[in-house]
């Protein structure tokens, strides 16, 4: 009970700090943003709103200026089932990558960030 309360307080504090200090966004031309938006159509992030690892990944997505669908696997039971059935476990964050008829469920915030950097860092950026 106490642990749950501490988690909620800390989670909300992280959300608040994230709101106060938003990451600076990578800039792209409209045309380049359109190309990147096409590529991110195939990505879905399964996450919990208050999970610090998810906040880290969401910040990174914002920093890279990516439009990636986010599904809340805590409150949305359909998303929770998709994650369990598809990925094999309820652990967040998890990035679902749908490419060329292959679906990959990428767990671990570190690995998700590494993947996004590899695919999108500096991708068509202005500066
Ligand atoms: N090492 C993992 C840690 C992820 C993690 O512990 N996530 C927690 C939420 S903060 C989780 O999914 N717990 C399963 C659950 O609550 O059902 C990462 O960096 O992504």
């Amino acid at each position: 009970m106490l642990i749950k309360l501490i988690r909620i307080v800390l989670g909300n504090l992280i959300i608040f700090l994230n709101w106060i200090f938003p990451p600076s966004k990578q800039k792209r031309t409209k045309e380049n943003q359109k190309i990147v938006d096409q590529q991110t159509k195939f990505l879905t992030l399964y996450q919990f709103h208050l999970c610090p690892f998810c906040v880290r990944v969401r910040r990174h997505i914002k920093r890279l200026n990516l439009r990636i669908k986010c599904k809340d696997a805590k409150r949305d039971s359909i998303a929770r089932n998709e994650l369990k059935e598809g990925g094999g476990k309820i652990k967040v964050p998890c990035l679902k990558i749908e490419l060329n008829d292959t679906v990959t469920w990428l767990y671990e915030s570190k690995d998700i960030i590494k993947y996004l950097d590899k695919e999108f860092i500096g991708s068509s950026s202005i500066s």
Side-chain angles (χ1 to χ4, degrees):
M1 183 68 195
L2 183 66
I3 302 266
K4 202 174 171 189
L5 188 70
I6 292 171
R7 263 199 203 158
I8 292 172
V9 171
L10 281 180
N12 276 293
L13 181 66
I14 289 168
I15 295 285
F16 177 66
L17 289 173
N18 179 42
W19 180 69
I20 297 268
F21 304 106
S24 55
K25 279 187 183 177
Q26 182 174 317
K27 291 189 184 99
R28 296 186 187 93
T29 61
K30 254 188 194 167
E31 293 73 31
N32 286 340
Q33 186 65 48
K34 250 188 204 166
I35 296 169
V36 170
D37 290 347
Q38 281 301 320
Q39 296 166 334
T40 53
K41 263 188 184 167
F42 306 101
L43 303 176
T44 309
L45 182 73
Y46 289 76
Q47 44 96 45
F48 294 168
H49 183 59
L50 293 183
C51 160
F53 304 99
C54 302
V55 173
R56 191 170 157 216
V57 172
R58 292 202 305 263
R59 275 183 77 82
H60 205 71
I61 289 173
K62 211 169 188 179
R63 188 174 296 123
L64 293 179
N65 201 0
L66 304 174
R67 291 180 191 138
I68 295 179
K69 287 183 289 298
C70 283
K71 291 194 178 182
D72 189 329
K74 186 143 216 138
R75 293 178 220 170
D76 176 350
S77 58
I78 296 173
R80 197 174 172 86
N81 266 342
E82 286 170 2
L83 178 61
K84 184 149 189 225
E85 298 293 313
K89 58 184 171 185
I90 301 289
K91 195 172 180 201
V92 289
C94 178
L95 186 70
K96 182 184 179 190
I97 307 162
E98 294 168 276
L99 277 181
N100 312 322
D101 295 330
T102 309
V103 181
T104 306
W105 296 80
L106 184 62
Y107 286 93
E108 288 301 317
S109 52
K110 238 182 354 137
D111 295 336
I112 296 172
I113 287 172
K114 220 187 272 174
Y115 170 81
L116 295 175
D117 281 349
K118 180 169 72 67
E119 296 296 320
F120 301 106
I121 210 158
S123 133
S124 321
S125 65
I126 291 174
S127 52

